[in-house]
Amino acid sequence: MAKNVDERAADNIRILSMAMVEKAKSGHPGGAMGGADYIHILFSEYLRFDPDNPEWINRDRFFLDPGHMSPMLYSALALTGNFTIEELQ
């Protein structure tokens, strides 16, 4: 059975998060793995933002305490065009 777009997007966030932790040889991917579904839904359905205009005054802001969930956030930001995959490495 084919995965739907939401499942594939969350899987991409998981893969990017694992790759960052592995490349850094530091950190724990568990939080990022578990949060991939909700961060994808948050960014794709609820947050109002424009990746082409990051200074847009009416954009929503999302703050996350640095730590175990950082790879998840950076993955989502890369998938919305704020970082390149190379920058994540």
Side-chain angles (χ1 to χ4, degrees):
M1 180 178 213
K3 290 186 175 187
N4 69 32
V5 173
D6 291 330
E7 290 171 329
R8 291 177 62 190
D11 285 347
N12 282 324
I13 292 169
R14 289 183 186 95
I15 290 166
L16 289 171
S17 297
M18 286 187 297
M20 280 187 277
V21 170
E22 179 65 26
K23 180 82 172 178
K25 302 216 183 305
S26 177
H28 304 280
M33 300 288 287
D37 293 299
Y38 84 77
I39 196 89
H40 161 64
I41 296 299
L42 181 66
F43 271 83
S44 67
E45 296 185 20
Y46 292 98
L47 291 180
R48 295 176 319 149
F49 65 99
D50 181 357
D52 295 327
N53 184 9
E55 300 300 318
W56 176 44
I57 194 70
N58 290 325
R59 71 191 181 280
D60 287 334
R61 277 81 165 171
F62 177 71
F63 293 90
L64 184 67
D65 187 38
H68 296 300
M69 301 297 264
S70 295
M72 176 193 70
L73 178 59
Y74 283 113
S75 296
L77 291 172
L79 293 172
T80 58
N82 290 285
F83 294 103
T84 66
I85 301 302
E86 291 77 29
E87 288 176 307
L88 296 183
Q89 296 175 352

